[in-house]
């Protein structure tokens, strides 16, 4: 190698790689040799790590530094920052934590995090939670944007989250046993490129191909055809968005009315089917939820629905539902009905049959792995104990003390004075960003750890620059991946960036918590400790991992697949009395007395169809006749690496690409490459038009993650010029029961943008002043 050139093996959310650095600068990355289908995102690492928008030094918003906590909070996002020393920045953060704790209590501190970087030690959530818990606790978040409604409903119906996070029916089992896989929302190949704990080998495309070659037939029920990969050769049923539940009910009615349901299974393993049967037949209200009824709602022909039901009954059928389906108004209902529909088929607990959620939602769902959870940094106990559903952030900030109901509990929102955020970007994942901006101005202080000047960092008060995965050592591991990777530091931290462990250690020292936080361990000592815990854990499964030093030298360890793939609910099927589910009845709760007892108008005791707040069959569709789907992007993970070359190359006219059907475009005089204005009553953004017949008429697709870039960065309602769809999505909760994100329930209109579009400034750092 040339002088000054070094290589280091590492891992990230989007894949393992070998990084090449020259004279302290990252110059290239090569994918892991054992990865059959590497994600393209890793090519963006060199330019992203050294991007213009890297944060070079700790920075404090000018008004906050001059006026103290609460000063001119409405100017967040538009003000300059003053660069300060690390000692000064840490002194400010420690003093503010103490002020809020003493004056308002720890209940006034909200801590939140996201995916951060892949690794068991430098995990954003673990580090933040451990530190804030030692400081007396904080208001935490429950549920998630990924599977929020599912995390509430699925355990109530089958007693655990196994159908969501696994083990689900694995691909070897599908290849061998499944005749028909019905995928509501598809199995998007792009989503299977990423995993929070890291990815060693992207195996999904190969498994999909093998399943198709083995004779498994696939049906994709969703508005986007390429939500299943070409290799599965799926039959596409292009439904209206948010009507999956109606289709499921129509399928169930056909099974019931034609005697194709498994009455014996329902009697032995389920409770409450008679209530759902009465609803399907319309016994109370005279409305039968039959195929004709479902056709009128979904847009699918009634004969297509009946034919599919008959095929499902005559085949070993696996029902798969994407995570996106439950991110909609009353999103828990189609998940509940999925379980009921699978129970009617009577194949739950059989290899290759039943149901599973999230195939294609994230790398590794369905892969034949051991499902051994890697160790994590101990978080300690949160003395506050208060939580909010993560999607209710704006409600909490705008309504301190306001009552709300969630999952059977009556609660009140806390009065938050300090937000501590790391490893995530709320201006990517939260709904109705114009509403969030109003709430964002309320706390006295916002502290953020970030490598880049993201939209969240630009709207903070104190910004602490942290390292990327290339600038630190860690262990990348996930229960969904067979590779454990020794991630090595490739370059020194860029600018003044520090590892978050180092940041929290400095704060802990100022607060008298240093010994408790560090336990006297360095970064490498923690890695050795956590690795030894992992080694002991897998030893119980008969797997012998090498010692830590040998592991580091080798770079990775491959955990062998289990000898036989697990079959979900097999023990329950074999002995429902001896291996009952963790539900009140011990059985599958098609009707839930518990949920019915909550008395929520929008969540009765069994799955029911109610019109979504916004959909193509509503009156609102007259003004806004296009349904917006804001899904996972193809060229990055969430908003990560949006500043990198791969994401920026995928934009159209410098803006996020928006796909629409050619017929919809023609009616509006829009052609490929046009800059378009996408709008509704909540806001407006600009995007670049891409025409495609892979998307249903009446639907537009604008992926999430374009860095929020309004014309006026601090003013709610200002035109967003970069293509962030969350200025358009609704902050309405999924339901009283689940209180999660319903971002996929949104109607918009699109028009060609006339004139010169405003310049993109998302990746330009704010004005910086040296102290």
């Amino acid at each position: 190698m040339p002088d000054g050139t070094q290589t280091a093996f590492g891992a990230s959310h989007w894949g393992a790689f070998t990084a090449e650095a020259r004279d302290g600068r990252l110059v290239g990355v090569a994918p892991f040799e054992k990865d059959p289908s590497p994600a393209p995102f890793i090519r963006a690492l060199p330019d992203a790590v050294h991007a213009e928008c890297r944060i070079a030094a700790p920075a404090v918003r000018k008004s906050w530094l001059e006026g103290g906590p609460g000063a001119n909070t409405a100017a967040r996002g538009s003000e300059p920052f003053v660069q300060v020393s690390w000692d000064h920045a840490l002194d400010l953060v420690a003093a503010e934590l103490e002020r809020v704790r003493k004056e308002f209590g720890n209940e006034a501190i909200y801590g939140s995090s996201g995916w951060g970087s892949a690794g068991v030690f430098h995990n954003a959530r673990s580090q933040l939670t451990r530190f804030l818990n030692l400081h007396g606790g904080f208001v935490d978040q429950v549920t998630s944007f990924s599977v929020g409604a599912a995390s509430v409903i699925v355990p109530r119906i089958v007693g655990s989250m196994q159908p969501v996070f696994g083990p689900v029916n694995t691909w070897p089992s599908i290849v061998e046993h499944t005749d028909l896989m019905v995928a509501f929302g598809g199995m998007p190949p792009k989503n299977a490129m990423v995993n929070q704990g890291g990815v060693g080998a992207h195996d999904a495309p190969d498994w999909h191909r093998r399943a198709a070659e083995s004779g498994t037939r696939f049906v994709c029920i969703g508005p986007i055809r390429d939500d299943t990969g070409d290799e599965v050769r799926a039959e596409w049923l292009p439904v209206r968005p948010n009507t999956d539940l109606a289709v499921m009910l129509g399928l169930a009615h056909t099974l019931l009315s034609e005697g194709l349901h498994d009455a014996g299974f329902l009697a032995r393993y389920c409770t409450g089917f008679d209530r759902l049967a009465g609803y399907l037949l319309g016994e109370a209200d005279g409305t039968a939820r039959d195929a004709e009824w479902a056709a009128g709602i979904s847009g699918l022909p009634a004969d297509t629905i009946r034919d599919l039901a008959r095929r499902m009954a005559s085949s070993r059928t696996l029902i798969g539902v994407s995570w996106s389906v439950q991110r909609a108004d009353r999103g828990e209902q189609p998940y509940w009905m999925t379980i009921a529909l699978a129970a009617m088929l009577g194949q739950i607990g059989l290899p290759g049959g039943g149901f599973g959620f999230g195939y294609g939602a994230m790398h590794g769902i369905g892969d034949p792995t051991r499902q051994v959870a890697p160790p994590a940094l101990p978080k300690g106990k949160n003395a506050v104990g208060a939580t909010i559903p993560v999607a209710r952030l704006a409600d909490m900030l705008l309504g301190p003390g306001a009552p709300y109901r969630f999952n059977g509990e009556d609660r009140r929102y806390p009065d938050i004075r300090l937000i501590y955020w790391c490893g995530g970007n709320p201006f990517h994942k939260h709904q109705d960003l114009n509403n969030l901006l109003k709430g964002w101005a309320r706390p006295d202080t916002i502290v953020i750890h970030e490598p880049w000047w993201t939209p969240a960092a630009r709207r903070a008060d104190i910004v602490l620059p942290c390292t990327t995965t290339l600038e630190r050592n860690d262990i990348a591991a996930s229960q969904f991946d067979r590779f454990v990777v020794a991630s090595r530091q490739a370059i020194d931290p860029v600018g003044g960036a520090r590892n978050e462990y180092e940041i929290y250690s400095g704060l802990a020292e100022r607060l008298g918590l240093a010994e408790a936080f560090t336990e006297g361990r360095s970064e490498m000592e923690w890695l050795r400790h956590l690795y030894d815990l992992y080694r002991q854990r897998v030893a119980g499964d008969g797997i012998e991992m090498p010692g830590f030093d040998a592991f580091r030298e080798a770079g990775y360890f491959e955990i062998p697949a289990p000898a036989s793939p697990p079959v979900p609910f097999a023990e329950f099927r074999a002995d429902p009395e001896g291996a009952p589910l963790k539900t009140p009845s011990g059985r599958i709760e098609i009707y839930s007395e518990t949920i019915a007892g909550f008395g929520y108008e929008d969540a009765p005791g069994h799955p029911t169809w109610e019109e979504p707040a916004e959909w193509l069959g509503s009156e609102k569709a007259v003004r806004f006749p296009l349904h917006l789907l804001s899904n996972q992007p193809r060229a990055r993970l969430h908003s990560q690496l949006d500043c990198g070359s791969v994401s920026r190359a995928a934009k159209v006219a410098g803006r996020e690409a928006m796909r629409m059907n050619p017929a919809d475009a023609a009616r509006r005089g829009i052609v490929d490459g046009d800059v378009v204005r996408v709008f509704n009553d909540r806001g407006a953004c600009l995007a670049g038009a891409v025409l495609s017949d892979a998307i249903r008429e009446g639907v537009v697709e604008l992926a999430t993650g374009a860095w929020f870039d309004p014309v006026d960065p601090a003013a709610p309602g200002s035109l967003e010029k970069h293509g962030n769809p969350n200025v358009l999505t609704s902050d309405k909760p999924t339901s009283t029961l689940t209180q999660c994100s319903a971002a996929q329930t949104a109607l918009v209109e699109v028009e060609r943008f006339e004139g010169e579009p405003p310049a993109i400034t998302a990746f330009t750092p704010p004005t910086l002043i040296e102290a």
Side-chain angles (χ1 to χ4, degrees):
M1 286 188 180
D3 290 343
T5 299
Q6 296 179 321
T7 61
F9 189 58
S12 66
H13 302 314
W14 40 87
F17 54 81
T18 298
E20 182 179 337
R22 187 174 303 129
D23 298 324
R25 187 178 179 88
L26 191 67
V27 295
V29 292
F32 183 30
E33 61 183 11
K34 292 184 177 293
D35 190 345
S37 303
F41 316 150
I42 62 171
R43 299 198 309 268
L45 285 173
D47 49 274
V49 166
H50 300 289
E52 176 192 9
C53 54
R54 275 302 294 266
I55 302 171
V60 184
R61 187 171 61 86
K62 186 172 183 292
S63 286
W64 195 99
L65 187 63
E66 294 173 350
N72 199 18
T73 57
R76 288 179 178 137
S78 61
E79 272 201 297
F81 282 82
V82 180
Q83 293 183 320
V84 300
S85 69
W86 268 107
D87 281 341
H88 191 185
L90 294 176
D91 287 343
L92 290 173
V93 175
E96 180 62 357
L97 284 165
E98 280 296 274
R99 181 190 75 85
V100 173
R101 183 181 66 83
K102 291 176 180 177
E103 292 185 16
F104 305 103
N106 287 77
E107 297 82 359
I109 300 171
Y110 178 67
S112 186
S113 60
W115 277 40
S117 295
V120 301
F121 178 59
H122 292 294
N123 177 284
R125 179 160 178 78
S126 296
Q127 293 273 351
L128 173 68
T129 303
R130 178 179 175 84
F131 170 70
L132 290 181
N133 281 348
L134 286 170
H135 184 249
F138 65 107
V139 175
D140 201 353
Q141 60 194 42
V142 293
T143 68
S144 71
F145 284 95
S146 296
V147 292
S151 68
V152 176
I153 194 65
V154 174
R156 293 218 177 262
I157 307 310
V158 295
S160 77
M161 282 288 280
Q162 177 185 335
V164 180
F165 290 132
V168 294
N169 265 287
T170 62
W171 283 107
S173 183
I174 294 169
V175 168
E176 183 175 356
H177 298 286
T178 304
D179 300 315
L180 177 65
M181 187 166 183
V182 179
F184 287 88
M187 304 180 300
K190 60 185 172 55
N191 295 6
M193 290 285 104
V194 300
N195 184 278
Q196 185 168 14
V199 179
H202 295 89
D203 295 324
D206 184 52
W207 282 118
H208 294 177
R209 189 177 303 108
R210 289 169 66 179
E213 290 172 352
S214 74
T216 304
R217 291 159 293 140
F218 291 83
V219 177
C220 171
I221 302 178
I224 301 176
R225 183 177 62 217
D226 52 15
D227 268 347
T228 52
D230 292 340
E231 61 272 5
V232 303
R233 303 187 292 273
E235 174 188 354
W236 182 35
L237 303 183
V239 298
R240 286 173 166 174
N242 289 194
T243 66
D244 307 85
L245 174 61
V247 175
M248 293 175 186
L249 291 168
L251 293 168
H253 183 279
T254 300
L255 295 176
L256 179 63
S257 62
E258 297 186 5
L260 301 175
H261 62 298
D262 190 330
F265 184 93
L266 292 166
R268 186 176 185 196
Y269 298 101
C270 305
T271 183
F273 177 71
D274 57 326
R275 303 284 195 106
L276 178 62
Y279 176 73
L280 292 172
L281 298 173
E283 292 176 351
D285 58 9
T287 300
R289 278 75 186 179
D290 58 13
E292 282 78 14
W293 172 87
I297 293 170
S298 68
L300 295 181
D303 286 344
T304 298
I305 296 172
R306 278 190 291 265
D307 174 68
L308 180 58
R310 293 163 186 158
R311 284 190 283 159
M312 292 170 72
S314 63
S315 307
R316 179 63 59 87
T317 298
L318 177 61
I319 305 172
V321 184
S322 71
W323 289 354
S324 62
V325 167
Q326 50 89 60
R327 288 195 293 270
D329 192 14
R330 300 180 78 242
E332 70 279 353
Q333 298 294 314
Y335 265 44
W336 195 350
M337 190 60 210
T338 296
I339 300 170
L341 184 59
M344 293 180 70
L345 294 173
Q347 299 178 21
I348 296 172
L350 296 178
F355 67 98
F357 303 116
Y359 288 98
M362 182 174 69
H363 163 75
I365 303 291
D367 281 9
T369 57
R370 296 270 179 168
Q371 292 271 294
V372 180
L377 185 69
K379 299 183 183 72
K381 184 178 180 180
N382 190 339
V384 170
T387 63
I388 66 160
V390 65
R392 304 273 52 83
L393 172 63
D395 286 355
M396 174 184 71
L397 296 177
L398 290 167
Y404 71 102
R405 294 176 294 168
F406 165 63
N407 199 15
E409 298 180 357
D410 292 328
R411 297 179 166 201
R412 289 187 179 273
Y413 289 117
D415 186 1
I416 298 300
R417 301 305 181 100
L418 186 153
I419 292 177
Y420 207 126
W421 204 292
C422 67
N425 177 8
F427 289 90
H428 142 66
K429 62 186 180 181
H430 204 76
Q431 318 82 229
D432 194 350
L433 293 182
N434 288 312
N435 190 49
L436 177 62
L437 277 175
K438 299 172 188 176
W440 200 251
R442 293 184 64 90
D444 297 340
T445 301
I446 298 173
V447 180
I448 281 182
H449 297 191
E450 257 296 343
W452 296 279
W453 282 110
T454 65
R458 297 169 74 108
R459 289 166 178 80
D461 299 311
I462 303 175
V463 181
L464 304 179
C466 61
T467 55
T468 68
T469 189
L470 278 301
E471 298 155 79
R472 56 199 185 197
N473 298 290
D474 215 323
I475 299 167
S478 165
Q479 69 190 71
F480 303 105
D481 193 84
R482 68 181 189 272
F483 287 97
V484 184
V485 175
S487 194
R488 287 181 174 269
Q489 182 176 338
I491 56 173
D492 290 334
V494 172
R498 290 185 179 181
N499 295 339
E500 282 171 307
Y501 180 63
E502 187 179 359
I503 296 171
Y504 291 125
S505 296
L507 291 172
E509 183 177 1
R510 285 162 171 80
L511 296 169
L513 304 170
E515 183 175 350
F517 181 76
T518 68
E519 297 184 22
R521 293 189 178 103
S522 65
E523 173 194 68
M524 197 56 65
E525 288 167 335
W526 268 112
L527 292 178
R528 184 181 296 274
H529 172 69
L530 293 172
Y531 179 83
D532 287 343
L533 291 176
Y534 197 18
R535 191 182 181 200
Q536 294 168 23
R537 189 172 294 175
V538 300
D541 205 16
I543 300 169
E544 184 177 352
M545 294 180 71
F548 179 70
D549 293 331
F551 165 68
R552 289 269 297 171
E553 180 65 26
Y556 66 89
F557 177 78
E558 185 173 357
I559 296 178
S564 57
V567 178
F569 302 104
E571 292 183 3
F572 171 64
R573 185 183 184 98
D575 184 6
E577 286 76 31
L581 302 180
K582 295 179 181 178
T583 60
S585 65
R587 298 191 285 176
I588 298 169
E589 302 222 333
I590 293 177
Y591 182 90
S592 169
E593 295 283 358
T594 301
I595 293 175
F598 295 155
Y600 301 152
E601 291 185 4
D602 55 356
H606 62 74
T608 58
W609 163 263
E610 296 289 343
E611 287 197 13
E614 299 178 24
W615 70 299
L616 292 176
S618 65
E619 291 184 6
K620 192 169 185 177
V622 175
R623 292 179 58 217
F624 301 110
L626 298 171
H627 196 118
L628 170 69
L629 295 178
S630 49
N631 52 6
Q632 168 69 18
R634 291 171 172 79
R636 60 180 176 270
L637 163 62
H638 303 155
S639 67
Q640 290 194 27
L641 301 185
D642 192 36
C643 62
S645 56
V646 175
S647 180
R648 294 173 82 160
K651 296 183 188 292
V652 176
R655 290 151 230 278
E656 192 67 19
M658 185 205 72
R659 289 206 297 175
M660 67 187 309
N661 187 277
D664 289 324
R667 283 190 282 270
R668 294 163 175 80
I670 295 169
V671 299
D672 251 326
D674 275 350
V675 174
V676 295
R677 176 175 173 262
V678 192
F679 62 96
N680 60 20
D681 289 333
R682 289 179 289 272
C685 69
L686 302 184
V690 174
L691 310 190
S692 172
D693 62 4
I695 192 163
R696 186 192 194 277
E697 280 193 57
V699 179
V700 292
E701 175 197 49
L702 182 59
T704 61
W707 284 9
F708 181 54
D709 192 20
V711 172
D712 185 337
S718 178
L719 174 68
E720 203 283 329
K721 52 194 177 176
H722 192 206
N724 187 312
N726 278 328
V727 299
L728 305 162
T729 55
S730 170
D731 201 20
K732 178 190 181 299
T734 44
S735 67
T736 309
L737 175 68
T738 54
Q739 291 285 357
C740 292
S741 170
Q744 303 302 335
T745 299
L747 294 178
V748 299
E749 179 58 291
V750 177
E751 63 185 11
R752 188 174 183 274
F753 185 80
E754 302 294 341
E756 185 68 24
I760 301 299
T761 54
F763 310 121
T764 303
T767 301
L768 299 172
I769 303 168
E770 291 189 12

